[in-house]
Amino acid sequence: MTKRPIYLDNAATTPVDSRVKEVMLPFFDERFGNASSNHVYGKEAKIVIEKARGYVAEIINAESNEIFFTSGATEAINWALKGYLEANPSKGKHIITVKTEHKAVLNTCEYLETKGYEVTYLDVDSNGLISLTNLKNAISENTALIAIMYVNNEIGVVQDIQGIGKIARDNSICFFCDATQAIGKVSVNVFRDKIDMLCLSAHKMNGPKGVGALFVKSGTKLESLIHGGGQEQGMRGGTYNTPLIVGFGEACKIAHIDFDQREARLYEEREKWEKYFTEQNLGKVNFTTVPTAPHILSISLNNIEADEFLMMKSKEFIASTGSACNSSVIEDSHVLKAINSIFNAIRISISHERN
């Protein structure tokens, strides 16, 4: 059998951990009960869902009743932004976000602008970071929400989330954070970081596709997403997808327990791939002077176009030129456009599992 290329696109999606798959399988057949049913089959499903909710809460230092299951981070983002503003009209109609956010945030903000909301899109510096001074200056009496991601999905830089959280809390503004690329790779603590709402997704951390969660700090008002059977504290109706939720919980449990070992392995792999590019004079590693998540490397290539290079190396390894979420549209990365100092870059996103 032909040897498959090394997979270096883990920021796009990850393989399901064998332990996660194992715990999911029984809930497709012999333990198939509906968690909303009031009998032994349903109660059995409800118990494992609540157990999974606890694992998701634990990895971000939240309470179980603050976790709401969704179909993924994109749904959670839409719910958080639209749901908060709809439920809190007296807070104002101004949102602050960043030009380098995930398209799920940017496109939701663009939609909200058509509904009469004002959005400030903060610039970033040459390292992809915002200025806390600019954030403070952007705040007005009408500012209801700040939406800034933890780890950038294209370049891996880590924003000063604790600093941002403090500014939001000091000004009584809700702080939403897209932590999709952070969970399991960097330490996330919603209490320490003063985060009011946060999204995460299972398939970015060796869990199944199609399930994620929204953390909503107790006391934060949010409009219901889907009206139906009263699931998720009446906030998101619909039959629970028990197998996926169980898998998500297990992925969070494993990532939380193994965090230190995973982090060490990621840094080992990162060093290996940094050397691969620098010692062969293939390219320059970007963002080396600022905090970055260990699993994402941005490499500016020498003497060859990014697409051509990836095609040339496609039998050796698989990587990308940016976010998989933009792949259906052939255009320059909005992240690199905003930075305007990094060109001809590829994204190497590694796994804690050694190749």
Side-chain angles (χ1 to χ4, degrees):
M1 191 172 85
T2 305
K3 183 181 178 182
R4 299 189 63 168
I6 298 169
Y7 182 76
L8 298 175
D9 200 19
N10 288 275
T13 196
T14 57
V16 176
D17 188 297
S18 60
R19 293 165 292 180
V20 170
K21 184 163 60 176
E22 185 178 355
V23 300
M24 290 171 62
L25 287 175
F27 296 95
F28 287 106
D29 43 46
E30 69 261 27
R31 300 176 71 185
F32 60 86
N34 186 327
S36 299
S37 297
N38 193 27
H39 51 57
V40 65
Y41 284 81
K43 289 177 180 178
E44 183 179 59
K46 184 67 173 175
I47 287 169
V48 295
I49 285 171
E50 294 312 310
K51 191 174 181 180
R53 197 186 306 278
Y55 290 142
V56 176
E58 189 174 16
I59 202 170
I60 60 171
N61 193 34
E63 298 296 327
S64 292
N65 63 358
E66 297 174 317
I67 300 298
F68 297 85
F69 288 117
T70 67
S71 66
T74 296
E75 180 188 309
I77 288 166
N78 275 262
W79 186 11
L81 272 59
K82 297 172 187 175
Y84 181 80
L85 294 169
E86 187 176 346
N88 298 275
S90 65
K91 297 286 187 180
K93 300 193 74 172
H94 177 228
I95 308 155
I96 300 173
T97 189
V98 183
K99 290 180 179 179
T100 54
E101 288 294 301
H102 191 280
K103 284 290 188 178
V105 168
L106 296 177
N107 289 348
T108 302
C109 286
E110 289 169 8
Y111 164 80
L112 288 165
E113 285 181 291
T114 70
K115 300 299 180 182
Y117 291 90
E118 177 192 0
V119 182
T120 296
Y121 299 91
L122 296 175
D123 289 317
V124 293
D125 63 17
S126 60
N127 284 311
L129 298 174
I130 68 161
S131 157
L132 295 186
T133 299
N134 289 347
L135 172 60
K136 290 177 184 176
N137 291 340
I139 293 172
S140 71
E141 291 182 358
N142 200 35
T143 304
L145 185 65
I146 294 171
I148 299 178
M149 72 194 329
Y150 217 114
V151 172
N152 187 276
N153 56 303
E154 290 195 27
I155 58 176
V157 298
V158 181
Q159 296 288 351
D160 181 1
I161 295 300
Q162 291 183 49
I164 295 164
K166 184 177 188 306
I167 290 169
R169 191 65 54 84
D170 288 348
N171 288 275
S172 301
I173 298 168
C174 182
F175 176 30
F176 167 75
C177 184
D178 172 5
T180 308
Q181 291 292 347
I183 305 299
K185 283 87 173 181
V186 301
S187 171
V188 177
N189 183 321
V190 293
F191 179 78
R192 178 199 67 201
D193 299 335
K194 296 179 172 60
I195 295 170
D196 299 300
M197 296 190 292
L198 172 147
C199 70
L200 59 159
S201 186
H203 80 102
K204 304 292 188 179
M205 51 184 298
N206 303 101
K209 296 175 180 65
V211 63
L214 177 65
F215 156 77
V216 182
K217 183 177 178 288
S218 292
T220 303
K221 289 173 61 180
L222 192 68
E223 186 58 46
S224 298
L225 175 66
I226 300 173
H227 301 95
Q231 292 86 356
E232 295 302 89
Q233 302 176 47
M235 298 292 283
R236 185 186 186 273
T239 303
Y240 284 107
N241 194 330
T242 307
L244 298 192
I245 290 171
V246 168
F248 185 19
E250 189 70 11
C252 286
K253 182 181 92 169
I254 293 168
H256 189 51
I257 292 171
D258 293 348
F259 181 83
D260 291 342
Q261 298 95 310
R262 286 188 176 200
E263 184 182 46
R265 287 180 201 150
L266 284 171
Y267 279 115
E268 284 178 17
E269 285 292 300
R270 183 184 183 93
E271 184 178 7
K272 181 179 81 175
W273 286 102
E274 286 178 347
K275 285 182 178 179
Y276 174 90
F277 283 93
T278 56
E279 290 181 357
Q280 297 185 63
N281 196 33
L282 294 172
K284 167 183 167 288
V285 181
N286 300 316
F287 312 113
T288 57
T289 61
V290 293
T292 55
H295 68 301
I296 299 177
L297 292 86
S298 172
I299 309 286
S300 286
L301 298 171
N302 299 331
N303 308 318
I304 186 169
E305 290 297 317
D307 288 333
E308 184 182 347
F309 175 80
L310 291 178
M311 182 66 70
M312 183 180 71
K313 293 288 186 178
S314 61
K315 291 185 178 179
E316 184 180 345
F317 60 78
I318 300 295
S320 71
T321 56
S323 169
C325 302
N326 297 333
S327 62
S328 62
V329 181
I330 305 301
E331 60 180 13
D332 292 334
S333 160
H334 73 282
V335 174
L336 298 185
K337 275 184 179 179
I339 294 171
N340 199 31
S341 63
I342 302 296
F343 304 99
N344 197 33
I346 63 171
R347 178 183 71 181
I348 300 292
S349 48
I350 56 180
S351 170
H352 58 276
E353 297 175 337
R354 293 185 180 89
N355 294 304

